Amino acid sequence: MHRVASSGNASNSVRPRKEKRLTYVLNDADDTKHCAGINCLAVLKSPEPYGCDYLFTGSRDSTLKRWALAENGATCSATFESHVDWVNDAVLIDDNTLVSCSSDATVKVWNGLSEGKCARTFRQHSDYVTCLAAAEKKSNFVASGGLGGEVFIWDLEAALAPLSKSNDVVEDDCSTTVNGLSSSLSNTSLRPNSSSNNISVHATQCQGYMPIVKGHKESVYALATNDRGTLLVSGGTEKVVRVWDPRTGSKTMKLRGHTDNIRALLLDSTGRLWDLGQQRCVHSYAVHTDSVWALASTPTFSHVYSGGRDLSLYLTDLATRESVLLCNKDHPILQLALHDDGIWVATTDSSVHRWPAEAHNPVKVFQRGGSFLAGNLSFSRARVSLEGSTPVPVYREPSFSIHGTSAIVQHEILNNRRHVLTKDTVGTVKLWEITRGVVIENYGEVSVPAWFTVDTRLGSLSVHLDTPQCFSAEMYSNDLSIAGKPEDDKVNLARETLKGLLAHWLTRRRQRLGSQTSANGEIPSGNVLPTRTLTLSRVEGDGFIENDLTVYPPFEFSEAAPPSIITEGTQGGPWRKKITDLDGSEDEKDFPWWVLDCVLNNRLPPRENTK
């Protein structure tokens, strides 16, 4: 750890700086399936009559997946892995550009038809990014909002343009760190006008985006725009809808009427969900008995599909106020996406289902019977009015399903500090050996200090290693059944686990260094971790002099389901990559220094610092 001297202390006392954490996410089952709730959906229609349609899903497991849809099934054709927290929303631009946002405070742009490569990452938000909006007839327009109260309007054409070296510097200058995450504030002169809420953008604006700097005082949960990108509406915890002109960033009006958080918004091509000319609510539809979290409309905007916390999906005729219950779910509904005459429904479960919707002729649904008139009451009063006359769902089973795997929801680290007991959403209990990243059937009762922490936020086991505590655990080679080593030889669990995690990287690195030696006739200077002006009090050997790079069986990670590592890179933002995708070309600065010092130089922190 770095030691920073205090300027006001004559005794030159020092204080430790918190080091970067390394995290690896374990995969137990089929990596082509989501293992946590689905937060967002996007459908890409093929321009060809008999072409393949695609469904994009964004999950709380931090990944997006592209599904090739066919009459007899769906195939995962790509996994987009770069976010390090929940994926909260995703939109498609043109025919192949995918934009996503996440609780990692980033907005990412992808080639939607690629094998999952991220084209650009934007870190202007200061907190979770919760929602996106895109204009159908303006391919370069995207808006993003989040818990920091910010709304950014992005010009993707400018944002994705190749940056010169000087512009790279400007972009770095445009981001600052807030609570450990890279966030905005731009290099421009932004002048909020307290009376009109307009903004003026002067000088060298950060390339590709315009912030709305005055408007929301609290979190933004919903955005929507018309198809031409000339109107943007936003809502959140302030219970009001704000209407903006995206071309200038100015607020044109504020709409009041909601009595709770606004979680979903829709606009037709003219913006007539409310009467924007008179700035008033035209109609209020009370069909749900709890919060509404998702909306979708038919192409003509004559009917609206709605779902939410009450596990129900309704179809409502906006003109006649007639509503019908399409289906009931087992989990709260988070997002909806129409696809031909069906509707995809995303919930807090890892599976996504398609239900009949008759979007082009919704009258067919009402002809099945069971409809009722939507009231204009709040859902608390609507719940009372529906008691004793619960609507009967039109459909009992979905027409198509893409199944995920069960998310881990409980875990317990066992006393041997190598095994973790987990329980998933269907009650399945598994025992993990985190030093190999596999599920096992038996475990030992060995007293080992706590050397790692675990969470299940992404629906998988995420194992966190922090120095120097992770190096506190040792076991005898006999207890690990390691052949060829003395029975009383102690093995440091963290060091051997790191060697197993980086085995592929070390092999590829040696191959690259060897090829450079053959080509130049010189031994490259980068084959040993450069000295970091470390003192013996900071890093010492642990008595094991030989730099043994052998990976022992208890620390071999599966190549069939390799874990991903997450750490902080040189650009100040976290990155994630599967251990088998490390090709040896990575900058050593992209890894925590203590990790490389361990695997390359076989050095561990002093023993007194690991307790």
Side-chain angles (χ1 to χ4, degrees):
M1 62 185 74
H2 292 291
R3 294 184 179 271
V4 182
S6 172
S7 60
N9 193 334
S11 63
N12 292 324
S13 63
V14 294
R15 58 183 177 86
R17 190 194 74 172
K18 186 177 181 180
E19 293 293 351
K20 299 173 183 177
R21 167 184 283 181
L22 178 76
T23 300
Y24 56 102
V25 182
L26 305 182
N27 300 306
D28 170 39
D30 190 351
D31 195 34
T32 63
K33 297 181 179 180
H34 285 299
C35 62
I38 310 296
N39 279 345
C40 54
L41 303 165
V43 176
L44 178 61
K45 292 279 294 178
S46 171
E48 303 296 330
Y50 301 101
C52 178
D53 293 346
Y54 292 104
L55 174 69
F56 294 85
T57 55
S59 171
R60 295 178 177 185
D61 64 12
S62 84
T63 69
L64 298 105
K65 295 185 184 295
R66 183 183 69 226
W67 305 88
L69 303 177
E71 291 185 4
N72 57 350
T75 304
C76 179
S77 56
T79 296
F80 300 80
E81 184 174 354
S82 180
H83 285 296
V84 298
D85 209 331
W86 289 10
V87 178
N88 293 321
D89 203 0
V91 293
L92 282 165
I93 310 296
D94 290 334
D95 293 329
N96 62 354
T97 301
L98 178 69
V99 183
S100 63
C101 67
S102 167
S103 295
D104 62 11
T106 67
V107 175
K108 291 182 181 286
V109 183
W110 318 74
N111 180 343
L113 299 182
S114 71
E115 295 304 311
K117 183 175 179 58
C118 179
R120 193 74 184 274
T121 298
F122 304 110
R123 307 181 186 278
Q124 272 61 41
H125 282 273
S126 63
D127 207 335
Y128 294 2
V129 191
T130 55
C131 51
L132 299 170
E136 183 178 344
K137 296 181 180 179
K138 191 175 181 182
S139 60
N140 63 330
F141 173 92
V142 174
S144 61
L147 299 191
E150 308 118 329
V151 175
F152 287 93
I153 300 170
W154 302 89
D155 181 343
L156 288 189
E157 184 177 347
L160 293 176
L163 295 174
S164 65
K165 195 131 189 169
S166 60
N167 281 337
D168 280 336
V169 174
V170 170
E171 185 180 2
D172 286 342
D173 290 341
C174 290
S175 62
T176 183
T177 299
V178 178
N179 294 332
L181 295 172
S182 182
S183 67
S184 76
L185 290 176
S186 72
N187 194 33
T188 63
S189 173
L190 300 176
R191 299 190 206 168
N193 185 311
S194 59
S195 60
S196 65
N197 292 307
N198 294 333
I199 63 171
S200 300
V201 182
H202 300 274
T204 56
Q205 177 177 330
C206 274
Q207 189 164 1
Y209 76 91
M210 176 173 63
I212 295 176
V213 298
K214 187 175 180 62
H216 285 277
K217 300 176 183 178
E218 299 178 14
S219 301
V220 178
Y221 276 107
L223 291 173
T225 183
N226 61 349
D227 56 5
R228 292 174 291 123
T230 57
L231 193 67
L232 177 70
V233 294
S234 59
T237 56
E238 296 174 84
K239 309 171 188 176
V240 298
V241 177
R242 286 182 167 84
V243 184
W244 310 86
D245 184 344
R247 297 163 293 187
T248 63
S250 61
K251 187 180 73 176
T252 59
M253 67 187 74
K254 183 189 297 184
L255 306 175
R256 301 182 183 275
H258 287 287
T259 59
D260 207 336
N261 298 341
I262 297 171
R263 296 292 298 270
L265 290 166
L266 273 183
L267 276 177
D268 69 357
S269 59
T270 60
R272 291 178 56 193
L273 187 58
W274 293 57
D275 188 327
L276 299 185
Q278 299 185 34
Q279 300 187 28
R280 67 182 182 88
C281 178
V282 178
H283 293 291
S284 177
Y285 303 88
V287 296
H288 288 270
T289 58
D290 211 328
S291 302
V292 180
W293 290 350
L295 295 171
S297 72
T298 57
T300 60
F301 213 81
S302 61
H303 295 71
V304 167
Y305 302 86
S306 58
R309 193 174 179 178
D310 62 359
L311 320 181
S312 301
L313 176 63
Y314 286 95
L315 172 63
T316 301
D317 186 325
L318 296 182
T320 66
R321 305 184 65 88
E322 192 176 8
S323 294
V324 63
L325 175 62
L326 287 180
C327 64
N328 283 322
K329 301 288 292 178
D330 295 326
H331 306 275
I333 296 173
L334 300 178
Q335 200 167 78
L336 305 170
L338 285 169
H339 182 203
D340 294 334
D341 277 333
I343 187 168
W344 290 99
V345 181
T347 70
T348 55
D349 184 43
S350 59
S351 301
V352 59
H353 305 281
R354 178 175 169 173
W355 294 81
E358 302 292 351
H360 294 92
N361 190 8
V363 176
K364 289 184 179 180
V365 179
F366 291 95
Q367 289 174 348
R368 291 172 171 262
S371 64
F372 61 94
L373 288 180
N376 56 5
L377 311 173
S378 65
F379 70 75
S380 59
R381 293 176 65 192
R383 180 185 297 113
V384 175
S385 65
L386 290 174
E387 285 182 355
S389 57
T390 303
V392 177
V394 176
Y395 303 107
R396 297 289 184 180
E397 297 292 335
S399 57
F400 190 83
S401 297
I402 301 176
H403 294 288
T405 60
S406 301
I408 296 173
V409 292
Q410 288 181 274
H411 68 275
E412 187 70 33
I413 301 173
L414 301 186
N415 290 338
N416 65 0
R417 302 304 180 185
R418 290 176 53 231
H419 296 159
V420 178
L421 200 64
T422 63
K423 184 177 181 180
D424 61 27
T425 51
V426 296
T428 303
V429 177
K430 295 180 180 179
L431 189 64
W432 292 77
E433 186 171 17
I434 65 96
T435 54
R436 290 195 298 150
V438 296
V439 175
I440 61 174
E441 296 180 355
N442 62 322
Y443 57 91
E445 295 292 335
V446 182
S447 178
V448 177
W451 60 282
F452 64 94
T453 57
V454 169
D455 73 57
T456 55
R457 178 177 177 81
L458 303 183
S460 300
L461 274 180
S462 295
V463 184
H464 309 295
L465 302 182
D466 295 285
T467 190
Q469 294 84 3
C470 67
F471 295 107
S472 64
E474 293 179 335
M475 291 183 63
Y476 289 106
S477 58
N478 181 53
D479 295 330
L480 294 169
S481 301
I482 298 177
K485 289 181 69 71
E487 291 183 356
D488 59 349
D489 193 3
K490 287 187 176 182
V491 176
N492 188 284
L493 299 183
R495 175 172 58 193
E496 300 305 318
T497 301
L498 289 172
K499 285 164 52 179
L501 283 170
L502 297 182
H504 183 82
W505 177 77
L506 287 168
T507 300
R508 298 300 299 272
R509 181 178 180 273
R510 285 196 297 269
Q511 293 172 351
R512 282 179 172 270
L513 294 177
S515 63
Q516 292 175 21
T517 301
S518 302
N520 303 331
E522 298 178 2
I523 298 176
S525 59
N527 63 338
V528 178
L529 185 67
T531 303
R532 292 170 46 95
T533 64
L534 305 174
T535 64
L536 287 178
S537 62
R538 182 171 160 189
V539 174
E540 297 176 354
D542 66 342
F544 187 71
I545 300 175
E546 179 187 2
N547 190 7
D548 183 10
L549 295 181
T550 303
V551 178
Y552 300 111
F555 305 94
E556 291 176 349
F557 287 86
S558 168
E559 292 187 1
S564 302
I565 63 172
I566 298 175
T567 189
E568 190 170 340
T570 54
Q571 301 303 317
W575 59 271
R576 170 177 172 157
K577 190 178 285 189
K578 288 189 182 299
I579 59 174
T580 51
D581 291 340
L582 299 171
D583 60 7
S585 65
E586 291 80 7
D587 191 334
E588 289 179 349
K589 295 180 181 178
D590 282 342
F591 296 90
W593 71 268
W594 54 269
V595 172
L596 297 189
D597 213 28
C598 172
V599 298
L600 295 180
N601 299 337
N602 205 49
R603 289 200 294 244
L604 304 183
R607 292 186 184 277
E608 60 270 19
N609 288 351
T610 62
K611 297 178 181 178

